[in-house]
Amino acid sequence: MADKVKIGTMWLGGCSGCHLSIADFHESLLDVMELADFEFSPVLMDTKYDEVPELDVLIVEGGIRNDENRELAEMLNEKAKFVIAYGTCSCYGGIPGLGNLWTVEELEEEAYINSCSTVNPEGIIPNEEVPALESRVRPLSAAMDIDLIIPGCPPRSDVVAEAVLTLLRGETIELPATNLCEV
Ligand code: SF4
């Protein structure tokens, strides 16, 4: 029996909604697991970022919002042979990309000082133990070599499951031209 494909998932500058689409694979997950073993995933298993194995396929949610996203993406770039930018945030910047309408200073002031749910009379903006925001949100391609993009917010589970299974079978993936989003 041929070795199974080593597959992983990762989240960066996103909301984790794309990973819920993977959880929604339902029975298709069993088909995927006949062909592949999940070796790394912050959702599906206990994962340590400093113990990432070599991967044949890596599915990445989210773009590059902060310096931790970039650091992890660059590390994963060395570990994964085939990278799927998964979801609109990963492909294009998505919802976090709306932050590009403001400067980092404006965003931090709104989040930490001015928002109606914040109580911060001293006006402290944390700059330790919080990853520093980059000047702009960028798509995953700013830090990783991408082999396939699957947009959608989140992408439709059936489309993603079919794309992953097609890839694992070594066949050519054809995504629908429209209606890639779950809702
Ligand atoms: Fe969340 Fe949508 Fe971005 Fe996926 S594409 S991480 S669902 S905001």
Side-chain angles (χ1 to χ4, degrees), residues 14-18 61 87-89 95 152-154:
C15 77
S16 77
C18 283
E61 165 191 323
T88 299
C89 292
I95 298 288
C153 182

Side-chain angles (χ1 to χ4, degrees), residues 8-152:
T9 79
M10 182 57 172
W11 52 28
L12 298 173
C15 77
S16 77
C18 283
H19 268 77
L20 291 183
S21 276
I22 295 176
D24 280 346
F25 275 17
H26 297 301
E27 294 85 2
S28 297
L29 195 54
L30 300 177
D31 298 332
V32 170
M33 292 177 76
E34 273 186 22
L35 301 169
D37 283 328
F38 280 92
E39 302 274 339
F40 178 84
S41 172
V43 174
L44 302 172
M45 61 189 62
D46 182 16
T47 290
K48 294 183 176 54
Y49 292 170
D50 57 353
E51 295 176 8
V52 183
E54 302 287 325
L55 296 164
D56 298 310
V57 177
L58 177 64
I59 302 170
V60 185
E61 165 191 323
I64 309 300
R65 167 72 279 190
N66 60 39
D67 58 1
E68 181 188 55
N69 298 152
R70 181 174 292 279
E71 213 172 281
L72 288 169
E74 288 174 352
M75 177 270 289
L76 290 164
N77 205 31
E78 302 298 316
K79 300 278 186 179
K81 292 183 192 150
F82 190 98
V83 176
I84 301 174
Y86 174 54
T88 299
C89 292
S90 186
C91 299
Y92 308 119
I95 298 288
L98 291 172
N100 291 347
L101 295 171
W102 292 273
T103 66
V104 166
E105 292 72 25
E106 288 169 333
L107 293 171
E108 289 179 335
E109 276 183 25
E110 181 62 23
Y112 293 119
I113 299 173
N114 297 330
S115 92
C116 59
S117 59
T118 300
V119 178
N120 183 6
E122 294 176 5
I124 296 171
I125 294 180
N127 54 17
E128 292 177 11
E129 299 178 15
V130 178
L133 299 184
E134 295 203 340
S135 60
R136 296 182 62 77
V137 173
R138 293 178 172 83
L140 186 64
S141 57
M144 293 189 82
D145 301 322
I146 306 300
D147 299 287
L148 174 68
I149 65 168
I150 303 180

